[in-house]
Amino acid sequence: MSNAATTTNGATPVPLDDNGDTRRWRGLVLPVVAILLWWALSRADLVNSALLVSPGKVLTTAADQITTGKLWRALGASLTRELTGFVIGTSAGLLLGALLGVSRWFNRLVGPSFNTFKQISLFAWIPLISVWFGLGDTAKVVFLSLAALVPVVVNTCDGIRGTPKPLLEVAEVYGYTPVQTFFHVVLPAATPAIFTGVYLALIYSWLATIGAEYLLVAGVGIGNLLIEGSEHFQMDLVIFGMFVVGLVGWLMNALARHVERRLAHLRGAAQ
């Protein structure tokens, strides 16, 4: 039996999508089942309590971290590093990617070196960065900038070089200058690819933040919170830290997707 919405003015009822309200909640099924299983295992003492603490213990630790301000200090330090590295890496990536995409001469000169550079594992740079910049925030920001740089360069370059030839031919017919062609034809056509690179840079830089704080251990941050819990065998602190990392990553992903939809809507309205 299908549902229907009846209007107050007696108009014909409009059928509702039976799955419309439930589809958005399907993603919660697995987390809810996992939490219930976790609660049942800890409740029944089927797993060593030192290895798998109860949800109640994690909630107590979470309340302590929040009320004492420890969480906000750690989260603030991590987000400051992440955003700084993201902005630096993205800005450099947009410039380098644009030059590689627009200039064949620059691409022949720098392209092979960049292609070699991007094959090096990000974490392989940590020994060199730690020697050059120490273990403080500067080293972490350099590491995060590298994490954000590569996806922005690759997607920006590919987006620019992938501009449809018919669009370039139309610009030539109308007598556009190279600058006009870039800003009015090439850049709009490359925008989806560029945004993909920026989106990946945001996600990669957050993941790299935790890695940098875990490997470059000086300072305060969410990664250091995980280290503290691991060293003192406080599994409640470790699990809480993992929840925070996942939640922040989810919020960043949701924000990026929202901005993408808004830009697509504005682009469609302008057309």
Side-chain angles (χ1 to χ4, degrees):
M1 181 177 179
S2 61
N3 296 328
T6 305
T7 58
T8 56
N9 58 3
T12 303
V14 179
L16 294 177
D17 182 3
D18 291 333
N19 296 325
D21 292 333
T22 59
R23 187 178 296 120
R24 70 187 62 180
W25 300 107
R26 290 176 184 172
L28 294 176
V29 173
L30 184 58
V32 170
V33 170
I35 291 174
L36 290 176
L37 180 61
W38 171 25
W39 177 81
L41 289 173
S42 61
R43 183 83 172 176
D45 290 330
L46 296 178
V47 180
N48 187 340
S49 59
L51 300 177
L52 185 67
V53 296
S54 67
K57 178 64 173 175
V58 175
L59 288 176
T60 301
T61 300
D64 176 70
Q65 290 288 318
I66 292 172
T67 55
T68 59
K70 294 179 181 178
L71 172 63
W72 309 122
R73 288 192 294 271
L75 191 58
S78 294
L79 289 175
T80 299
R81 297 185 190 109
E82 194 269 345
L83 292 176
T84 304
F86 168 73
V87 169
I88 295 174
T90 299
S91 301
L94 289 172
L95 177 59
L96 181 57
L99 289 173
L100 289 172
V102 170
S103 173
R104 292 183 179 180
W105 175 84
F106 189 82
N107 196 356
R108 286 194 295 267
L109 180 66
V110 179
S113 298
F114 175 76
N115 288 332
T116 302
F117 166 81
K118 72 180 183 181
Q119 301 305 322
I120 302 174
S121 171
L122 180 63
F123 289 94
W125 290 100
I126 284 186
L128 192 61
I129 291 174
S130 63
V131 171
W132 285 355
F133 301 99
L135 300 176
D137 283 349
T138 301
K140 295 182 177 71
V141 169
V142 170
F143 181 74
L144 302 182
S145 300
L146 293 178
L149 176 73
V150 174
V152 176
V153 173
V154 171
N155 283 274
T156 301
C157 179
D158 290 347
I160 290 175
R161 297 178 68 179
T163 303
K165 289 185 178 180
L167 294 180
L168 298 175
E169 292 171 356
V170 170
E172 186 177 355
V173 169
Y174 278 94
Y176 279 20
T177 65
V179 174
Q180 289 175 320
T181 301
F182 178 79
F183 284 103
H184 296 289
V185 178
V186 175
L187 192 57
T191 296
I194 293 173
F195 185 86
T196 299
V198 174
Y199 165 75
L200 291 174
L202 181 65
I203 302 302
Y204 290 173
S205 59
W206 173 243
L207 297 177
T209 299
I210 308 304
E213 292 175 348
Y214 201 86
L215 297 172
L216 302 170
V217 294
V220 179
I222 295 297
N224 303 93
L225 196 71
L226 293 171
I227 294 174
E228 179 184 347
S230 177
E231 289 179 346
H232 294 86
F233 215 69
Q234 295 177 283
M235 291 299 103
D236 50 329
L237 188 58
V238 173
I239 294 175
F240 170 67
M242 292 174 62
F243 270 116
V244 172
V245 171
L247 179 61
V248 172
W250 179 84
L251 289 173
M252 287 184 176
N253 180 76
L255 177 61
R257 292 303 184 191
H258 175 72
V259 172
E260 182 183 25
R261 287 192 296 268
R262 290 294 300 168
L263 290 175
H265 175 72
L266 294 175
R267 197 161 55 243
Q271 294 174 353

